[in-house]
Amino acid sequence: MPNTKLGEFRRERERYRRGQDIDDLDLQKNKNKRTARERISLLFDEGTFVELDIYIKNPKVGLNNNNEVYSGEGVITGYGLVDGRLVYAYAQEHTVMEGAVGEVQTKKIARIQQMALKMGAPIVALKDSSGAKIEEGIDALAGYAEILKHTTRLSGVVPQISAVMGSCAGVAGYVPALTDFIFMIEEISQMFITGPSRIESVTGEQVSMEALGGAMIHNRKSGVAHFITKTEEECIKEIRKLLNLLPSNNMDSGPITSTGDIINRTNLELEEIISNDTSKNYDMKVIAHSISDDGYFFEVQKHYAQNIIIAFIKMNGQTVGLIGSQPMVLEGALDINALNKAARFIRFCNSFNIPILTIVDSPGFLPDIRQEYGGVIRHGAKLIYAYAEATVPKVTLITKRAYGGGYLAMGNKNLGADLVFAWPTAEIAIMDPEAAANIIYKNEIAHAEDPKDDRVAKIEQYKKEVATPYKAAEMGYVDDVIEPSATRPRIIDALNMLATKRELNPAKKHGNIPL
């Protein structure tokens, strides 16, 4: 005789697992969008995801309104394994009440956040919601505040990754903004505080949703997002890659990847990357690929503030946070966006015990009236603060120019770098040699028989006597001038030596970074 209770259980279970609105489900598919369950299945190792609170529903909904509570109030929460490591996740289901956030959904999300905190495991948020449930009023806003509070408490304790897989409007945008990394998808993701219609009613400006808050806008212009992909599948694949680079929590040392690359591998091509003609620039990414295990290079905020590079590379199997000047853009000069980009990345690496490698080729801060009016002093202080505060192993390499702020703000020894190397091509000075020579040798040049030739001679004299890396080494600001081809083994050796570094900042509640 069939077990009626078991049959009833299976039917009810399936009812809660499937989407509610068939029309909305078709719309999702037409937009090349997946359901929350499909996204979860892509994120986790096959068969490892465990869903929690599948039956939960709003107690304020009457018994005759069962059709409004399918799929756990519009969000799937649970845990599973990503390449064998514990990860928590929540995925909003747009086919159930458009993923609208209410009191019960926030309780489910908050519970997962608290579990991630207790167990010390990363949390991934797959966001696809129309926003707050208007009918719940202040309860919905209170729920958002609860999620924001837990997101803040998780910061620096476990890695938090968000993927905007649809709309993320209004106060909902603050949730991913508080996480460590944000992924967006071309022509699918949209994120903004105030929508196009509201902007038009207030200012008269007309703008489309894509132009206001699309994926590339936030990757290139606003800097809110960190990654952009073409499809949902690619997005989740990249999330898995990122998780494999990061430790599970702030007490973890992080995963070590076995590699066939040789630790002592040298690269003679680096001997030619910087020519004698100092006006010629080069791509800093070439150096990054050259020194990393098998050329591994996982760039963050690729499209934003391209005058500075931030990326995760692998060195002897270990994840290393790379900050590098990019001479190909603004000659590597530091502007407000680059300063913020680098400072936040440094603080992330420091939170999760990831060593920092800084490669410097910068003429200093970008001279521009708009930069001054925009508070470049304050933003520059953020980068200085981040380097000085960081206690993880810090290695700095100066390849070419380190002038003024380019030296001061980019991980020098007095800011706490453990080891500083320089290539023979490095020029380290308070300002670029041309400007310095014009000031120091002003009178001599003015009274020379041929001022033009004498000026050129004085510039070369300044480079040889003052800006040379050997002068900085004599004074203890550079630990060694190294062969470019030997950069990889020297940095790996330095990181191995620093592996047991223990450094504590003075006891305090927290510092006051110049936000």
Side-chain angles (χ1 to χ4, degrees), residues 5-21:
K5 288 290 185 182
L6 185 57
E8 182 182 338
F9 158 76
R10 288 170 176 165
R11 287 191 300 273
E12 190 72 1
R13 185 85 169 178
E14 181 59 29
R15 185 168 72 92
Y16 272 84
R17 284 178 58 85
R18 69 174 179 263
Q20 174 193 345
D21 192 327

Side-chain angles (χ1 to χ4, degrees), residues 2 6 64 71 99 107 130 144 171 173 198 230 232 246 261 263 270 292 325 362 377 385 452 463:
L6 185 57
N64 295 326
S71 294
K107 284 181 179 179
S130 61
Y144 265 124
V171 294
R198 178 62 175 161
K230 293 185 181 298
E232 292 192 7
L246 307 178
D261 207 344
I263 294 175
L270 294 182
S292 181
S325 309
S362 174
I377 295 172
Y385 188 107
K452 185 176 180 181
K463 287 182 179 180

